[in-house]
Amino acid sequence: MSFAVFADGSANLPKKMLEGITLLPCEYFVDGEPQTYLGNVDEFDGHAYYDGLRNGKVIKTTLLNTQLFLSAFAPVLEKGQDVIYISMSSGISGTYAAARIAAQELMEQFPGRLVHVVDSHGCGFGNGLLAVQAVELDRKGMPTQEAAVFLDAEVQHICQYFTVDDLNFLKRSGRVNGVTAKIGTMLNIKPILYGDSSGHIVACGKVRGRKKAIEALLKKYEEKRSPGAAPKVCISHGDCPEDAELVAEGVRAITPDASITICQHEPFSGAHVGPGMLGLFFHGTER
């Protein structure tokens, strides 16, 4: 292996997709009590987590700091390997900036080694799918610099569309204002959101009702999916598995050969989208 692949708990990856990826822990606070999420979403009790949010628990997240990256990457560089880290979007977290500071310091400390930080412009499977792709490139023997350029270009092809059930969680994270959240909730308005080309979460539509929201996600999939080989599609949800299955059924109707992974949505960004979040992630022609 010419380079080691790193991601973190926000990547939303189940165990079957983690081979070759080193995950860094994410920390958050539940009613002021610190919690550490190591990253294997199979071990995440999503029902308890999102039920806590439904019942008023206050969850706050923290960025991954520079010291964590220094401690994780240095042993790999000492062994003569390079590092590629797939970061959550710079548009929603300071984690990317912290990783870049560590990368610059380590490359000065280890001349000739490369530490490349990919700004995924996403979260959840939005960076998880890039981490899986990075491992595939390394297995093919692609040099680190070439892989870094390839992955940076691939960022604009990882599509991530999602909806939420309760606008108040987006209000708390500053995505919508209080009046919009109140009116939207009263009228059963469901926003269709996505990670744009600059890494910010923005609305690309709104519909009335959950059924229409699921139909809108599937329409985006049909419009944006890449042609060719059997697609790899990931669906994450905030403790609403029945709705996730409906999305999966819709994907299969469009592309019967799709490889579909369904998981609870990880806790790190889950606090900002809340219970009922429903996300669809796939490789597309463009975002």
Side-chain angles (χ1 to χ4, degrees), residues 2-3 13 18 30 44 94 97 137 149-150 152 157-158 162 166 168-169 176 188-189 197 208 216 219 239 270 274-275:
S2 60
F3 57 88
L13 296 173
L18 283 173
V30 179
F44 167 50
L137 297 178
V149 172
F150 183 91
D152 283 343
H157 295 284
I158 302 299
F162 66 99
D166 186 342
N168 286 303
F169 290 96
V176 298
N188 199 23
I189 298 297
S197 58
R208 183 170 292 180
K219 184 178 180 180
D239 196 33

Side-chain angles (χ1 to χ4, degrees), residues 64-106:
L64 280 67
N65 61 56
T66 297
Q67 186 56 51
L68 176 64
F69 294 117
L70 291 172
S71 299
F73 297 165
V76 175
L77 301 171
E78 288 173 351
K79 295 177 182 177
Q81 276 189 291
D82 296 324
V83 167
I84 291 182
Y85 167 61
I86 312 296
S87 171
M88 68 186 83
S89 173
S90 62
I92 62 174
S93 172
T95 294
Y96 171 76
R100 288 275 296 168
I101 292 170
Q104 188 59 44
E105 183 174 331
L106 288 167

Side-chain angles (χ1 to χ4, degrees), residues 12-14 16-17 41-42 125 234-238 244 261-266:
N12 216 116
L13 296 173
K16 69 178 183 179
M17 299 174 74
V41 76
D42 292 338
F125 282 119
C234 295
I235 300 165
S236 65
H237 63 91
T261 298
I262 301 176
C263 290
Q264 291 271 13
H265 190 71
E266 46 79 21

Side-chain angles (χ1 to χ4, degrees), residues 7-19 21-26 36-46 125 263-267:
D8 58 66
S10 72
N12 216 116
L13 296 173
K15 185 177 181 180
K16 69 178 183 179
M17 299 174 74
L18 283 173
E19 186 175 352
I21 300 170
T22 300
L23 287 178
L24 301 176
C26 290
T36 299
Y37 174 57
L38 298 178
N40 179 354
V41 76
D42 292 338
E43 298 174 354
F44 167 50
D45 188 346
F125 282 119
C263 290
Q264 291 271 13
H265 190 71
E266 46 79 21

Side-chain angles (χ1 to χ4, degrees), residues 127-151:
N127 48 313
L129 284 172
L130 283 167
V132 171
Q133 196 165 15
V135 172
E136 292 171 353
L137 297 178
D138 186 52
R139 287 173 178 161
K140 291 177 181 177
M142 185 176 287
T144 310
Q145 185 61 58
E146 189 177 336
V149 172
F150 183 91
L151 291 165

